[in-house]
């Protein structure tokens, strides 16, 4: 069973993203086309005309090389090969190299991407659509990715990390593998997950290779293509835009203007561009490039360049120039024949700052698709909610609101004083009529008395609610426990739980079920009930 509710009503999405989903007129200048199945006709046409078709050969060459050591499905092989053809396009999501996929929404991003590609193929059969997972191999925020949560425990990889995370050696992860052996238990599903972790992280040398293997194992049968864009051949196709950022600060100037417009509309900003939005990436160095006087410096190192030397380095070693969050979207759209980017609320928020930059660089701006969001809950949880007379949607309230609602619903006494307040207002209407015939001081006295009596009713209502909460304490606690279980730390489940916690119970049915239920064009929050069973030895 599945229930949906609007993103805005969940309380977990910003006004910017809610307004985007609701197609606010104010936001239309900040994106190209809102994603609908019909709008992709023009998106295909525009991308076909603007994309440098020479990039296809290099893209296929890099992908084939990266897939050499992987067991590759026929669908993925077909997708890679089809990228040679000018009638093939990609739809892309990106994600960090989180340990063992990190939070649950990693799955939702990729399933949204797979289903979007499938839907486009059904509606535009003359074209091919390749679902791509762009690995963020050049990130350096190790503390964001070096753990995953399981049963309220943080399973963490402790190592000294320097440079881009994709280059990190997986040495030392055998200790975490031993911890997982204990934590996951002995069920069939647990044994599968433990084996998956071992092969991914103990039989691959770098974090990029391990993550590619893992994503391919989980989604390869559905034709997913995993790309590591940290490659000299691909970056050489982006050298013009790299130079524009270094010399003309194109991104800084354009994104500043767009961001200022969003700020004036009252929206918070996700990305603040720098004059230079590139890191210098070499061996274990990943440091910002800054311009001081006539030199370009690599921060926290002794490396410096003149402008001529730096531009020559871009030509000779493009792989040493790593785009930050402001430039990475443009890099993606230059090297891929891409139609849509599928991301979370935070990602789409910074994409909405980039359109004028894309226009300045004459690169087609992709359609922005908010990934599916899901709350998964078991049939056992559903049964408990039914017994308590609570709907799954009620759990999106704050704990105080949920407790108050549940108390009012189950109290044998009517806690709602609306009728009394309406009667009071009626009485004061008559008094106000009388006050109009007297002086101003009497009118003020009537208003003061009305406020006092309304406050008194509010106080009594709160006292009665508090008393009934105590009376229904046991039942309220059961509801709040369910909420705490499904919303860890009062946050969305998908931002905290790792897929392993669900897979232990649901097994190999999990991903097919998500693919069956998630619709990238639905644009609502999905609450999905799963029938749980667990095979044990």
């Amino acid at each position: 069973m599945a229930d949906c509710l609007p993103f805005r009503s969940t309380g977990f999405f910003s006004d910017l993203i809610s307004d985007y989903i609701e197609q606010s007129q104010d936001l239309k200048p900040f994106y190209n086309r809102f994603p609908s199945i019909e709008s992709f006709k023009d998106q295909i046409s525009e991308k076909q005309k603007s994309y440098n078709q020479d990039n296809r050969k290099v893209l296929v060459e890099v992908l084939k090389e990266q897939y050499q050591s992987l067991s590759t499905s026929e669908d993925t092989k077909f997708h890679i090969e089809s990228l040679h053809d000018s009638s093939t396009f990609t739809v892309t999501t990106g994600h960090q190299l989180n340990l063992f996929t990190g939070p649950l929404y990693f799955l939702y991003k990729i399933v949204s991407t797979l289903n979007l590609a499938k839907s486009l193929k059904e509606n535009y059969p003359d074209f091919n659509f390749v679902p791509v997972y762009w690995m963020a191999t050049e990130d350096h925020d190790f503390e964001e990715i070096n753990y995953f949560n399981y049963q309220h425990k943080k399973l963490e990889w402790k190592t000294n990390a320097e440079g881009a995370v994709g280059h990190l050696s997986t040495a030392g992860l055998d200790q975490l593998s031993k911890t997982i052996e204990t934590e996951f238990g002995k069920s069939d599903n647990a044994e599968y997950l433990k084996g998956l972790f071992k092969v991914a992280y103990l039989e691959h040398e770098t974090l990029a290779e391990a993550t590619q293997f893992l994503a391919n194992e989980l989604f390869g049968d559905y034709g997913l293509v995993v790309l590591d864009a940290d490659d000299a051949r691909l970056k050489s196709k982006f050298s013009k835009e790299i130079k524009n950022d270094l010399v003309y600060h194109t991104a800084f100037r354009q994104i500043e203007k767009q961001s200022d417009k969003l700020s004036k509309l009252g929206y918070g900003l996700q990305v603040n561009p720098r004059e230079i939005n590139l890191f210098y990436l070499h061996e274990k160095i990943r440091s910002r490039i800054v311009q001081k006087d006539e030199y370009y410096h690599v921060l926290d190192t002794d490396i410096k360049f003149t402008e001529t030397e730096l531009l020559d380095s871009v030509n000779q070693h493009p792989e040493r120039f790593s785009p930050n969050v402001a430039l990475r979207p443009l890099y993606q759209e230059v090297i891929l024949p891409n139609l849509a980017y599928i991301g979370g609320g935070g990602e789409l928020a910074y994409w909405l700052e980039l359109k004028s930059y894309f226009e300045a660089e004459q690169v087609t701006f992709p359609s922005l698709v908010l990934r599916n969001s899901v709350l998964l809950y078991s049939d056992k949880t559903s049964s408990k909610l039914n017994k308590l007379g609570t709907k799954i949607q009620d759990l999106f309230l704050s704990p105080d609101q949920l407790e108050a609602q549940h108390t009012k619903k189950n109290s044998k006494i009517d806690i709602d004083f609306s009728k009394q307040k309406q009667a009071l207002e009626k009485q004061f209407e008559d008094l106000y009529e009388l006050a109009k015939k007297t002086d101003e001081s009497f009118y003020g006295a009537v208003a003061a008395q009305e406020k006092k009596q309304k406050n008194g009713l509010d106080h009594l209502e709160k006292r009665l609610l508090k008393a009934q909460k105590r009376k229904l304490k046991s039942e309220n606690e059961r509801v709040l426990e369910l909420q705490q279980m499904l919303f860890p730390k009062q946050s969305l489940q998908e931002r905290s739980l790792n897929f392993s916690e669900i897979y232990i119970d649901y097994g190999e049915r999990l991903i097919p079920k998500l693919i069956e239920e998630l619709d990238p064009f639905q644009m609502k929050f999905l609450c999905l009930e799963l029938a749980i069973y667990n095979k044990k030895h």
Side-chain angles (χ1 to χ4, degrees):
M1 292 180 64
D3 290 299
C4 295
L5 61 162
F7 282 107
R8 192 185 295 277
S9 70
T10 67
F12 289 100
F13 291 82
S14 68
D15 286 340
L16 176 61
I17 293 306
S18 297
D19 288 348
Y20 173 70
I21 290 299
E22 293 162 13
Q23 299 184 62
S24 163
Q25 288 295 322
D26 287 343
L27 287 176
K28 293 207 169 174
F30 297 91
Y31 58 89
N32 194 9
R33 294 179 183 89
F34 190 78
S36 67
I37 199 65
E38 296 80 16
S39 71
F40 275 96
K41 180 180 180 181
D42 290 335
Q43 193 72 22
I44 291 167
S45 178
E46 185 181 349
K47 188 67 180 185
Q48 200 164 34
K49 291 171 186 173
S50 68
Y51 180 65
N52 183 347
Q53 301 294 338
D54 293 340
N55 291 1
R56 290 181 180 276
K57 183 180 178 182
V58 175
L59 179 60
V60 172
E61 179 186 318
V62 170
L63 282 168
K64 283 185 173 180
E65 188 176 293
Q66 291 180 0
Y67 269 84
Q68 274 181 355
S69 61
L70 289 174
S71 174
T72 312
S73 71
E74 290 304 314
D75 283 351
T76 297
K77 287 177 184 175
F78 170 77
H79 279 152
I80 292 172
E81 200 62 45
S82 73
L83 285 165
H84 278 300
D85 197 315
S86 63
S87 64
T88 296
F89 299 90
T90 61
V91 292
T92 303
T93 194
H95 197 64
Q96 295 171 295
L97 308 189
N98 292 76
L99 191 65
F100 213 41
T101 76
L104 260 175
Y105 66 76
F106 172 82
L107 267 63
Y108 306 155
K109 273 186 167 184
I110 293 182
V111 171
S112 298
T113 306
L114 293 169
N115 282 349
L116 179 58
K118 181 182 176 184
S119 183
L120 289 172
K121 182 62 178 176
E122 289 169 354
N123 285 274
Y124 300 97
D126 293 339
F127 300 94
N128 290 315
F129 303 94
V130 178
V132 172
Y133 162 38
W134 176 290
M135 295 195 298
T137 54
E138 297 176 53
D139 280 2
H140 65 117
D141 295 319
F142 181 66
E143 289 74 20
E144 290 185 6
I145 66 164
N146 69 332
Y147 70 95
F148 67 95
N149 297 315
Y150 182 80
Q151 300 286 2
H152 309 294
K153 293 181 182 178
K154 186 176 182 179
L155 304 184
E156 190 174 2
W157 176 21
K158 295 178 181 177
T159 188
N160 294 320
E162 295 178 293
V165 294
H167 300 175
L168 289 177
S169 168
T170 53
L173 273 165
D174 54 331
Q175 292 302 313
L176 185 56
S177 182
K178 290 175 184 175
T179 302
I180 288 169
E181 278 285 341
T182 305
E183 293 293 338
F184 279 11
K186 298 289 185 182
S187 69
D188 290 351
N189 294 335
E191 293 300 330
Y192 167 75
L193 290 173
K194 289 186 285 187
L196 185 63
F197 186 93
K198 282 180 183 176
V199 176
Y201 294 101
L202 306 189
E203 296 183 17
H204 292 86
E205 292 184 2
T206 67
L207 188 56
E209 291 171 359
T211 305
Q212 186 187 33
F213 168 82
L214 187 58
N216 184 63
E217 282 295 302
L218 293 173
F219 297 103
D221 286 347
Y222 300 96
L224 182 70
V225 172
V226 184
L227 174 64
D228 180 359
D230 182 10
D231 187 282
R233 291 161 292 182
L234 294 175
K235 287 192 177 170
S236 68
K237 298 295 184 181
F238 190 60
S239 60
K240 175 174 72 73
E241 291 79 10
I242 289 174
K243 292 173 184 176
N244 285 347
D245 189 69
L246 291 168
V247 178
Y248 303 113
H249 312 313
T250 311
F252 177 72
R253 289 186 291 104
Q254 295 296 332
I255 297 172
E256 280 268 287
K257 286 193 291 186
Q258 194 94 332
S259 300
D260 186 54
K261 291 176 184 176
L262 279 168
S263 289
K264 286 177 179 175
L265 290 171
Y267 298 116
L269 301 177
Q270 284 291 114
V271 59
N272 292 298
R274 302 182 185 275
E275 286 195 349
I276 295 174
N277 294 281
L278 291 154
F279 293 90
Y280 190 74
L281 186 65
H282 186 47
E283 295 177 346
K284 292 189 176 181
I285 297 171
R286 187 183 185 268
S287 295
R288 281 176 50 215
I289 301 169
V290 295
Q291 189 175 7
K292 294 179 184 175
D293 304 320
E294 71 271 26
Y295 285 100
Y296 290 82
H297 299 259
V298 178
L299 282 183
D300 304 319
T301 74
D302 296 325
I303 303 170
K304 66 178 182 178
F305 303 89
T306 64
E307 183 178 298
T308 302
E309 289 169 341
L310 188 65
L311 296 180
D312 184 58
S313 184
V314 174
N315 292 331
Q316 298 298 320
H317 300 286
E319 73 280 5
R320 294 182 184 178
F321 295 84
S322 177
N324 74 357
V325 66
L327 253 66
R328 191 184 304 132
L330 189 79
Y331 177 37
Q332 171 189 298
E333 298 303 312
V334 166
I335 68 170
L336 293 178
N338 197 49
L339 301 176
Y341 183 76
I342 298 92
E347 289 175 286
L348 264 54
Y350 73 69
W351 275 88
L352 289 169
E353 297 178 49
L354 304 179
K355 184 166 177 272
S356 63
Y357 174 41
F358 273 69
E359 289 169 349
E361 293 285 8
Q362 297 182 309
V363 176
T364 296
F365 196 73
S367 210
L368 301 179
V369 180
L370 184 63
R371 66 164 174 82
N372 290 108
S373 281
V374 189
L375 174 64
L376 299 175
Y377 62 104
S378 70
D379 48 357
K380 291 179 183 177
T381 299
S382 180
S383 177
K384 290 177 182 177
L385 287 170
N386 288 335
K387 287 177 183 176
L388 291 166
T390 302
K391 295 179 180 178
I392 191 69
Q393 293 92 330
D394 296 337
L395 301 186
F396 285 84
L397 297 167
S398 72
D400 285 344
Q401 290 171 325
L402 177 62
E403 187 179 15
Q405 176 184 285
H406 195 258
T407 301
K408 288 178 181 179
K409 189 188 295 181
N410 291 281
S411 171
K412 294 178 181 177
I413 301 170
D414 187 5
I415 302 172
D416 186 358
F417 280 20
S418 298
K419 289 180 182 177
Q420 290 85 345
K421 290 174 185 175
Q422 286 171 5
L424 189 65
E425 285 173 1
K426 176 63 178 153
Q427 288 176 352
F428 275 93
E429 280 177 16
D430 297 338
L431 284 171
Y432 280 123
E433 287 299 318
L434 180 63
K436 286 177 185 176
K437 300 171 184 175
T438 59
D439 60 30
E440 193 174 324
S441 63
F442 184 71
Y443 192 94
V446 171
Q449 190 61 224
E450 181 187 28
K451 184 177 180 182
K452 182 179 179 181
Q453 292 197 32
K454 280 186 174 179
N455 286 343
L457 278 176
D458 285 341
H459 179 68
L460 286 172
E461 188 175 24
K462 287 175 183 174
R463 286 282 300 269
L464 182 57
L465 177 61
K466 192 173 181 181
Q468 289 302 100
K469 279 182 181 178
R470 286 196 298 269
K471 196 170 182 180
L472 295 166
K473 183 181 177 184
S474 176
E475 202 169 305
N476 284 343
E477 283 178 349
R478 291 202 294 275
V479 171
L480 292 170
E481 281 171 10
L482 288 173
Q483 184 188 51
Q484 189 175 10
M485 179 183 73
L486 294 177
F487 292 81
K489 298 178 182 177
Q490 295 181 36
S491 183
L492 288 176
Q493 176 196 71
E494 64 183 35
R495 298 176 187 172
S496 178
L497 260 66
N498 181 259
F499 87 100
S500 58
E501 200 160 329
I502 307 295
Y503 197 99
I504 290 286
D505 287 328
Y506 205 69
E508 62 186 12
R509 298 173 298 151
L510 175 60
I511 289 173
K513 181 65 174 175
L514 293 175
I515 287 174
E516 177 188 340
E517 296 288 351
L518 272 56
D519 177 0
F521 291 112
Q522 188 175 56
M523 297 186 196
K524 287 186 177 181
F525 196 103
L526 183 69
C527 300
L528 183 60
E529 180 185 324
L530 302 177
I532 300 299
Y533 70 86
N534 191 8
K535 292 181 183 177
K536 296 184 182 293
H537 286 299

